[in-house]
Amino acid sequence: MMNYYSPLTYVVPPDEEGFYLKTILQNRMGLSRKLLSRLKLTEQGITVNGNREYISIKVKSGDVIEIRMQEEESEDILPQDLPLEILFEDEHLLIVNKESGMIVHPTHGHYLNTVANAAVHHWKERGENVRFRPVHRLDQETSGVLAIAKNPYVHQQISEQMIAHSITKEYLAIVHGTVAEERGTIDAPIDRDPEQPHIRIVTPSGYRAVTHYEVVRRYDGITLVRLMLETGRTHQIRVHMKHLGHPLLGDKMYGPEADSLERAGDGSLAGEAATAEAAGARGAAGEAAHEDAGADCAAGIPAQSAPELARQALHAYRLGFVHPGTRERVEFTAPLPADMQAVLDACE
């Protein structure tokens, strides 16, 4: 016997009488071709007034259309009892406040201690059979709001909103230096560094990447900024803020700490020339930020005051979208984590 998730319902209004069921399913309920094909194969996948129907029928005003998806499980993910700060949950979505240092999904050689392990355990404790489907990803060291779809329809619907750029994604970051402009837009294409493929760089031949920023507050040698993503390239905020001349505090890959390691590891004249050329390319603002990197107020914070500050100071603060189940716009926020707040408190 098949088990199904709670149905998603659509009641046909008077002005849609005579529409084909397929039209309602695709244009009103937003089903993709792939999902529609899957639902057609199950006994209760698509019903009208409680009866299974062909999608070629014409509907009447007041008809109740329901779609039901089979329950699924992430059989390859081991349930693990881990702390999981839940901001919101219903039959469609799980919204969590991811802590820094936690990977979202298991990877090769890293099968435990992820958000996925914690979520699967949480659902088993509740008696739910749910497959882990993160709608988006956060870097391991980035904290904040993470949305997880509990069925394929919800995942598809939110993914389409991301493609249409109708989702609100707002981050908070602490960056080196004093950001001069109150607000601005960084429109600079990003791609892999051909010499170090795990690193992204700004390059004219890259993919379009747009980040909007505004200053929240300036401190002694550092700035708290709010960032809104128009696109979602890998490491986009970190790369763009470095490009602006204000790398993120604690960023070991794109911050001044990384530049120092590169310089220390290459004593050749060629290495020195390459470093000088890179510094020149960053412009005057970048030079100023890097010169001040070791002299800002955050540098004097004792390790015991903010033990996790070794990570990049980036937090996914707000996420907003249209809820696929209720069709109403929702927003979720996660407060600034303790390690980032400790930096700001020390700089008061």
Side-chain angles (χ1 to χ4, degrees), residues 26-61:
Q26 290 186 320
N27 297 346
R28 295 297 182 266
M29 300 188 75
L31 269 66
S32 66
R33 290 183 180 180
K34 181 178 179 181
L35 183 54
L36 183 57
S37 296
R38 288 176 57 182
L39 293 174
K40 286 165 59 179
L41 298 175
T42 59
E43 185 66 30
Q44 299 181 46
I46 302 170
T47 62
V48 179
N49 301 324
N51 301 312
R52 189 179 184 185
E53 297 284 1
Y54 291 106
I55 63 172
S56 57
I57 69 164
K58 291 185 178 181
V59 299
K60 298 177 182 178
S61 174

Side-chain angles (χ1 to χ4, degrees), residues 290-313:
H290 283 258
E291 287 171 3
D292 292 341
D296 54 47
C297 62
I301 299 176
Q304 62 270 25
S305 300
E308 298 178 10
L309 194 59
R311 59 104 166 195
Q312 70 238 15

Side-chain angles (χ1 to χ4, degrees), residues 161-183:
Q161 293 180 55
M162 294 183 72
I163 293 171
H165 304 299
S166 60
I167 282 186
T168 300
K169 296 174 73 175
E170 185 176 311
Y171 293 76
L172 292 173
I174 304 174
V175 301
H176 286 285
T178 301
V179 178
E181 301 293 332
E182 291 298 326
R183 58 183 52 82

Side-chain angles (χ1 to χ4, degrees), residues 255-265:
E257 297 88 347
D259 291 346
S260 297
L261 287 173
E262 289 175 7
R263 284 193 293 269

Side-chain angles (χ1 to χ4, degrees), residues 75-126:
E75 296 179 354
D76 57 334
I77 298 176
L78 298 172
Q80 189 179 9
D81 188 5
L82 299 169
L84 190 68
E85 184 179 345
I86 296 174
L87 301 175
F88 172 84
E89 185 172 19
D90 62 10
E91 67 268 35
H92 306 290
L93 285 163
L94 172 65
I95 310 294
V96 302
N97 181 13
K98 188 186 89 67
E99 65 180 43
S100 169
M102 201 174 203
I103 293 175
V104 172
H105 201 285
T107 58
H108 181 68
H110 197 125
Y111 302 109
L112 294 172
N113 302 313
T114 71
V115 176
N117 299 116
V120 169
H121 177 271
H122 165 72
W123 289 324
K124 285 192 176 296
E125 289 290 298
R126 289 165 55 98

